[in-house]
Each structure stands twice: as structure tokens, then as C-alpha cells.
Amino acid sequence: MASDSTLRYIQFDYQAQKDAIQQRIRARYPKLWNDFLAGGFGTVIIDIVAFSMATMAFLVNRQASEQFVTTMTLRESAVRVGALVGYQLHGPTAATVSCEATIQATQVANVTIAKGTLVRTSDSQSLPFEVANDYIIAAGQLTPQTTVISINPNLAGAKVLATNALVTNGSTNIDIADSTIDMTQYVSVGQTFQADNDTNTYVITAIEAAPGAVSNNRLIVATAWAGATGTVTGQVFDQRIQLLQGITVTDSFSAPSNDTTSFSVKLSTTPIINNSVSVLVNGAAWTSVSNLNIAASDQTSFQSKTFASGATIVQFGDGTFGTKLPTDAIINVTYRTGGGVAGNIQLNTINTSITGLMASTSSPVTITLKNSTSTGQGGSDAEGLESARVNIPFFARTNDRGVTLDDYQTIATAFSHPVFGNVAFARANIRTENALLEGNIVVIYAWTTGVNGGLVNLTPQLKQALQDFMQTKAVGTDLVQIFDGTSRPVPISLRFKTLNSTFSVTDTTRLVSDTIKAEIIALRPGQPLIFSDLVGKLDAVFGVDSINIATPIADLTPSNSTELFTVLQPNFVYALDRTGVGTPFTTSDDGTTSLYVAQLPVAPLQAWSFNLFLGPNQLTVVPGATAGFAELYGANLSASKDTLPDNLKLIDPEPAQNFKSTVNLLTGQVRLWLKGAPGDSTMTLNQVGGYSTDRSVNVYIGYTGDNTQTKRREIRAALRAWSSGLPVGGSIYGVNIPGILASNSNVSTVVHNVSGVTGVTRVALDTPASTAQRVLAQDTELLRLGNIVLNNQVD
């Protein structure tokens, strides 16, 4: 038996099999077989046997691993394993989008927009959408008007808020008097408010909390209120129609003439949108069930099944579980095909026209459709392997009823509505403000899919549908509430250099942006953005040579478990709160001037990575002469001076800042010397930018003062720190040039700002004899300081 000990049954690879066979032959047949040469016949036999055994071992292992949730690698395996516990991977869901529907002139009779009318997007994809319901444009109107909610304390009903609206002449704020009402539960952006007995309409552009309110009770409207200040009653209505992505298909079949159990039919078109299958048998509707094994023998039910191949069948009962199909029955199966993330379209993707019908005269009317206020949302692709790996165990534990918080999250995440979209992610909590009285209130924060597959808040319609559904799954003592989680765009600002000038900066920017989006979209509420993961993905982007990230420079953690990081939003505006410091004073050249401080919401930053605005005017942000600071110039800012008035020196402990508007790039503190009333302070980030080449500019400087080697090294360090803040396509200025604000940040000022320097006698750029005051860069070029020669010394 000792000779058999060389065979290792846990080694499955080819080389291990080959070595074991050779060792066994040497042990068992030492005098009969010694043909182990590379070209020998014996080696060929050993090779064939080892390869066959290794291949068989691999296939056996693969077959075994595909039987378990944790090790399966194929979606086909997920379909099969899920079926063992009654779980079916969901198919694609259809996106919904609200479009403005307008006719050119009022009509004398109602105009009907028929359900199912086909609409295609105006982009290259030409995605098909269908009108979700019948809509009517009333006689004398240009748009349909569907009442969403009435605001009136004298009314009662399901679509009534028993309170008043508070309005102010000239204001764009409409506040709900009952500040506990969360208007996001009832209305959405793009809908319209109209007061009773008033012809003016106001389009809702945002919903937020009024100062002191405990909920989102303020409607922000596009135009200022034109009536008297006071309280009004009115209603919110929608002038848009809803479209569903996909196409409706109907297949007809005939049941066999003989008695058949568990009869099934295969649908002709794929992919099938989730929960869209309906069946008529001899004109009567049958009920869809998740599994026929739970259907009673007299229940006219059917079950739709989608296989790993993508084919879908509709199966009927066998008389024990679900009613058998009648002989010779006519079967009509209606379903919708399409769906997916691609249906979550951007604004203004639909810009077309359809035909409505004036029923009284059978006359066609052209209706213009645009989605200028609503993006597509709710569309998702068919469930993938990784999602199924998580959902199958939770489904088995949940048993289709809500008891634990995990149960509520699992059931809510699996919810989809045939018209309003799907739930992509849910997080459940219990009310803890008063556990004794509110411990049975289950709060579910839910998101659906938006543009590019990112998570967005539910529409009020989907939110209500989810709450109604979850209440049917909750235990009798639990009350379910659906809330919006908080979200904010990830503050990212970076720039990159392409590998060489042959790479397109525009194309590489798109690749970098897509990589960042993919990393952010994968995040879930409460999940941090890991800085090292982001850098690793960016380093792998094709065409990128190097990356300079201004922010973030560490992991980003949400402020709570229900906050969600969202993708970059171009030109996202951050509002800044200013606080006055000291007493305003008057100077001969600037007039009345006041010092204000503000805090940037994002820090640290670099001078090239952000923009600041005062009202509509953009400020010029340049690298500061002091390392770690940026300087600000522009309208409504006082001109910089080297010294402060005596009465202000006590309130300004930073003499290096003097009479300048600056930003501390490390802490984000802003100091503004303001003239007059310039308007609100706002900030935007330069999110992703790139350049194809960098060019070194040599600098030749003469100065007076400390001329030691140590001081010259200090000056060079200050200049290189200053130049790192220069923007792509920006210029290097040797001295200040009147009329050019950006030239306030120049080589001469940086050198003069170093302690021990008493004066700057000359600055030459590029060559020692150059008299040019600046060096200009190309649009995709970044200028850097090359050799810095100080008083003819290069050290």
C-alpha cells in the first residue's frame, strides 16, 4: 500500500496528474517501463491520460460549483438554483417618462390621445415608447390636465390636502401651511400649481423645506407669484402624458381538443418586460401567479416562466394546482417587449409629434411631444448573476412576508409596477423617536433606476404603489411608510494627461467620465467611495498617462446610512453662505467695502479645480502668491492692496492676505472684500478636464535682497507650488498687465512675496533676452516652469 501513497486525490491540475502517473509507474513497474523521454510513446500515453483526467476533474468541479449560490458562475445556474426555492430572476423592466403634450390651437371639442400610441426617441437609438393611458385635451385647452392633488381645507378625499397654500407677491415660493406635509409624497417636479379662480399657472421646478418646517412643504415655481400676498386654495395638476418604453405584442393560440394538463405555450418575442404578461382564455381574464403550486384547483391561473435561454412560456394548471385549460380554448397572451436601462433617457430626447383624434368629428389633430422636464426612470436590465446571488438566499428566508427588516428590504427591492417602474434598491428602518408608540412603524427608503443606471428617488405614483403593496406583505401590527433617501453628487475634480498628442482629449475625457460614473453607480446608500478603488480604475483608462486629482484625496463616506452618492452633474451649483466681519469702511478708489467670510462645501481644492460666482458674474480664480491660497478678482471685489487701513488691522490677523479676496485651498475658507450688493455667492467644480501636452517655460529672474542658496531654493519652491495651480490652456505672466485680471497672479508677485526679497528687477520668460510679458498656451496644453534662473544662478 505504501506504493499507492504517491497518488493525491485532491490534486486536479494537469501537471499534478502527470506527476502522479509517472510516480505510480516508477513504483509499480520499475523494471518494465522506463520510457519517460519527451518524444517517447510512453510519454504520449501519460500525456493523454493526464489531460483527460484533468479535464474531467475540471468539469466535475464546475458542475458541482454551479449547484451552489456562492460558487455559481453562470446566469443559467442562477435560474436553476433559484427555481428550487421558487425564486424567478426578474426580466427587464420598462422605463417611464413624462412628456409635455401640446396642440398648436385650441379645439372646439375634446382631443383624445389613445393608449398604446407609438412614440420613438429623436436620437440615433430611436427607442420605442407607448402612451401609458388614454388622455384627453379638453375643448379650449392646449394641453391635457390631470389633477394630482387639491389643496383646500374645506375638501376631503384621497387626493386632497386639507390645508392652505401661502403665497407672496413677486416670490417663487409657494408654501403649504401645514409644515408637516411632505409634498414629495404627492407631487413631482414638472407638474403645475394653479390657484382656484386664477388663470395663471406655475410650473414646479423644485420641492424643498421652508425655513423652520419639519418637512418638504415648499414648492419652488418657475415664475414669480403674480397675485396678492396671502393664503389661497388650488390644485396641482399634470399637463404631461406618461410614456412606457417598449412595444405591446399579442400572441394567439388554440388549446388541444383532448383533455390536457399543465398545458403551456411559448411566446414569440423576447425579451419580455417584467410583470407585463396578461392572458385571456375564451375572452375571460386569467390571474397571474408566481407559482402554480400555490393555486387552488378551481383557480383560473397561469404562470409565466423565463428560461436561461431567454425564451418565455405561459403554463396553465393541471386540475390540482390551478384549473386545467378548457379544450379547444382560444388563448390570447398580451405582453410587452423591450425594457432595460437604455429607456432611462436624458432630457429632450423625445421631440416629435403624434396624432390625436377629435372624436366628435373624427378629425386628426397634431400633438407635439417633448420631455423637457422629465428624464426616463425605472428601466432596468434583466436580473444578473450577482444580484441573484444576493437575492436568492434572502428570498428563501423571507417567505414572501414582512417580519424582519431584511424581509421588508427584500420584498421592496423585488417590487416592480407595470406602469410606474421598478424599485432598484431599498433600505428599511424602524421609527426610533418614540419606540414605545412607533416601534411598529417600518420606514422604507427606496430608489429606482435613472439615467445611466444610477439610483434616483421614486415618483409619487411608484411610491404609493410600493406602499400599498408592502402593506399587504406586512404583519398585521406593522405600518409601512415609504420615504426618499438623501443624495448628493460626488464632488470630484481632476485633470489628466493623455499618453501623447495623437490621443483625442475629448474622447479620453468621455472614457474617464464613464469610468467615474460606473464606479459611482455601483454604490449603494450608505456605502463609501473608496479613493484607492477610484484611482485604480482611472489608471486603467485607455489613453491616460497621468492623473491629478484635486478632490477627493481620501475616501468619501456618506453622512448617514440612507445617503446616496450620485453621478457627476455638469455645472452643479453649490450655494455659499456669507457672513460679514467688522464694520464697512470707505476708500477713495473702492467706495464702501466690507469683509465677508464663507466656507466652501468641498475642500481641499486647487486653484484650477473650481469656479466662484457673485450673482451672475464669474470671478477670476488664480494661484495665490502665498502657497496654499488662491486669489479672487472680478466685479464687486475691491482691488488688492499691500496694506490694510489701520482700523482693520485688528480684525485681520493674517497680514500675508492683506487687502485681498482669497480662498484657503486646504480648509476652503473664503475671504471676500465686497463692494455694494453683488448677489449670492455660488461655486461649481471643474469636474473632468484633460490636456495632451505640457510645455516647460524657463524663467530668468533678477531680484534684490537675500541672495543665499537657501533663499534661492525657497523662491524656486514657491514658484513651483504657484505654477501647479495654473489651468490647462492658461498663460504664465511675468508681471502684471493692466486690464488682464489673470495677470495679477504672476512670477514677479510670487518672488516679491517671499520674505527676504526686497525687489524684483527683471523677469524674462523662455529665453534670457525675451521681453514678452507672458507665454500663451494652446487649448489642450499645460504650461509648467522649467529651469528657474535666479540672479544668474541655477544652483
Side-chain angles (χ1 to χ4, degrees), residues 556-693:
L556 285 177
T557 304
S559 58
N560 56 67
S561 63
T562 62
E563 183 178 58
L564 173 72
F565 285 133
T566 59
V567 296
L568 307 181
Q569 298 180 19
N571 301 319
F572 181 82
V573 176
Y574 297 89
L576 309 182
D577 291 330
R578 294 197 307 257
T579 303
V581 178
T583 303
F585 65 95
T586 302
T587 61
S588 59
D589 49 358
D590 284 331
T592 301
T593 303
S594 301
L595 173 63
Y596 287 83
V597 297
Q599 178 64 43
L600 298 184
V602 178
L605 291 169
Q606 297 190 36
W608 52 263
S609 64
F610 66 102
N611 304 303
L612 285 178
F613 299 83
L614 286 176
N617 300 317
Q618 181 174 350
L619 302 178
T620 298
V621 182
V622 295
T626 302
F629 285 84
E631 296 177 4
L632 308 176
Y633 300 92
N636 293 109
L637 290 183
S638 293
S640 297
K641 295 179 176 60
D642 293 332
T643 59
L644 290 171
D646 291 336
N647 63 323
L648 287 180
K649 289 181 179 178
L650 293 178
I651 66 171
D652 193 328
E654 302 180 47
Q657 297 309 301
N658 301 322
F659 196 44
K660 294 180 180 179
S661 296
T662 60
V663 179
N664 186 318
L665 297 175
L666 180 62
T667 65
Q669 186 187 57
V670 183
R671 299 162 55 84
L672 298 170
W673 292 96
L674 297 182
K675 300 182 296 182
D680 295 335
S681 301
T682 56
M683 182 192 85
T684 62
L685 285 176
N686 296 319
Q687 295 170 338
V688 178
Y691 58 99
S692 58
T693 58

Side-chain angles (χ1 to χ4, degrees), residues 9 145 161 198 248 390 402 426 496 510 525 537 600 609 628 662 726 742:
Y9 294 100
Q145 289 194 5
L161 298 179
D198 188 357
T248 301
V390 174
F496 62 88
R510 184 164 54 250
K537 296 292 178 61
L600 298 184
S609 64
T662 60
L726 295 175

Side-chain angles (χ1 to χ4, degrees), residues 353-383:
S353 60
I354 59 175
T355 300
L357 185 66
M358 195 157 47
S360 60
T361 61
S362 299
S363 301
V365 178
T366 300
I367 302 169
T368 300
L369 289 185
K370 295 181 181 180
N371 70 313
S372 61
T373 60
S374 172
T375 59
Q377 69 175 59
S380 63
D381 297 328
E383 185 173 6

Side-chain angles (χ1 to χ4, degrees), residues 35 45 55 87 95 116 148 150 189 244 298 347 354 404 553 620 635 652 660 694:
D35 183 9
I45 296 299
T55 302
Y87 182 83
V148 177
S150 294
V189 171
L244 284 175
D298 60 347
L347 292 175
I354 59 175
T404 68
I553 58 173
T620 298
D652 193 328
K660 294 180 180 179
D694 49 14

Side-chain angles (χ1 to χ4, degrees), residues 682-715:
T682 56
M683 182 192 85
T684 62
L685 285 176
N686 296 319
Q687 295 170 338
V688 178
Y691 58 99
S692 58
T693 58
D694 49 14
R695 176 157 58 104
S696 294
V697 177
N698 296 328
V699 184
Y700 304 86
I701 303 169
Y703 75 93
T704 58
D706 187 347
N707 192 30
T708 62
Q709 185 184 62
T710 300
K711 182 57 63 177
R712 291 196 298 271
R713 289 179 175 176
E714 182 182 347
I715 294 172

